[in-house]
Amino acid sequence: NADFCNGINQSNYIDGGLAYDGIDTIYSIQGNNYPSLAKYSISGDSWTPLKKAPVGFYNGATLVYDATTNALYGLAGSSLGEFLKSNIGTNSWAELQDPPLLHGYGAAQRIIGRYIYTLRGNNTTTFWKYNIDTGLWTKPVMDVFGQNYAGIIYRPTSNGASIIQGNGNYIYASRGNADNLFIRYERTTGEVEAMADIPHGMHVQQRIVIDRT
C-alpha cells in the first residue's frame, strides 16, 4: 500500500491520481478530500510520504509531472477551483492562478511541451491550456467533442474524460460520461477529428494510455 502518513488510512479513493517522473519515481495523491501526497521508488520498492497539500483532492482532481521544473501540478477538484504546484526539490506547495472557471468530476490534464492541456469536466465543453512558463490560462477550442448527443445541444466532459499525447502535434481524448467518442486534436491548427469509437463507454476512473515501445 501507499504510505500517506495517515495512520491506518492508507487507501487511494475517488480521484486519487498518479504521476510518473519518467525515471524512477511515481507520485500519488490520495483523493477523497485528503490532501496527502506520497512518492514511490520503483528501484527501491518503497513509499515516502511528502508534505500535504493546502487543500484536499476530490472529484476532478488531477496530477501531472513536469521534468523542466521538477514539479507536480494538479487541480484540487470538487469544484474548489484551486490549481496547485508541488516543488519536489523543496517539498513545498504553492497555489497558482486558478483556471478561468470552476472544474469538477471528469477533469483531465496532460503536459505537452510547455503547456498543460486541460479538459474542465463538470459536464462542460471547456478545453483550456496552461502555460507553465508564464502562468497564464488560455482556451484553445470550444466544443471539442461536437454539439449533438442524445438530444442535447452539446457533448460535455464528465467522469472518464482523458487526454493523451500522440505523435507529432496530435492530442487524443475521450469525453467520459459513458460515451465511447474518441477524438484527435491538432495543437497547431485546432482541427478536431472524430476517430474510431472506443469499444465501450468511458466512465468513472477510466483512462486512456499510449504504448510508445
Side-chain angles (χ1 to χ4, degrees):
N1 288 344
D3 181 3
F4 292 109
C5 201
N6 281 338
I8 62 172
N9 186 4
Q10 305 294 344
S11 299
N12 280 93
Y13 290 93
I14 295 173
D15 282 304
L18 299 173
Y20 177 44
D21 72 352
I23 303 175
D24 187 63
T25 305
I26 298 171
Y27 298 92
S28 176
I29 51 175
Q30 190 172 9
N32 201 34
N33 272 329
Y34 287 103
S36 304
L37 172 70
K39 67 178 181 179
Y40 172 76
S41 167
I42 296 173
S43 59
D45 187 26
S46 60
W47 284 93
T48 303
L50 301 174
K51 184 174 181 179
K52 290 179 171 60
V55 297
F57 298 96
Y58 201 52
N59 285 329
T62 64
L63 191 69
V64 292
Y65 174 81
D66 175 52
T68 301
T69 56
N70 189 28
L72 298 165
Y73 296 82
L75 300 170
S78 197
S79 298
L80 294 175
E82 280 92 343
F83 183 51
L84 307 169
K85 174 183 178 180
S86 174
N87 187 311
I88 301 302
T90 61
N91 193 25
S92 61
W93 287 89
E95 296 190 29
L96 304 177
Q97 183 186 60
D98 292 339
L101 297 166
L102 295 179
H103 57 276
Y105 48 88
Q109 292 191 308
R110 182 71 57 177
I111 292 181
I112 302 174
R114 304 307 303 142
Y115 291 97
I116 303 177
Y117 287 83
T118 303
L119 291 173
R120 179 186 170 195
N122 214 22
N123 269 325
T124 69
T125 63
T126 313
F127 184 35
W128 295 311
K129 63 180 180 181
Y130 174 81
N131 188 312
I132 295 173
D133 299 321
T134 67
L136 299 177
W137 290 90
T138 56
K139 186 164 59 179
V141 68
M142 286 288 289
D143 301 324
V144 69
F145 292 101
Q147 292 187 316
N148 185 15
Y149 177 68
I152 58 178
I153 61 172
Y154 66 2
R155 300 180 90 156
T157 53
S158 188
N159 288 319
S162 187
I163 305 174
I164 200 75
Q165 180 181 5
N167 294 327
N169 290 318
Y170 289 118
I171 296 173
Y172 293 84
S174 62
R175 82 173 190 96
N177 223 3
D179 192 6
N180 62 353
L181 181 65
F182 187 52
I183 63 97
R184 184 171 72 178
Y185 171 73
E186 215 287 345
R187 290 186 287 138
T188 57
T189 65
E191 181 181 359
V192 177
E193 180 181 2
M195 311 304 288
D197 287 341
I198 301 170
H200 54 81
M202 298 286 287
H203 207 27
V204 179
Q205 299 296 90
Q206 294 182 308
R207 296 291 185 266
I208 53 176
V209 297
I210 189 167
D211 179 3
R212 297 192 182 279
T213 59

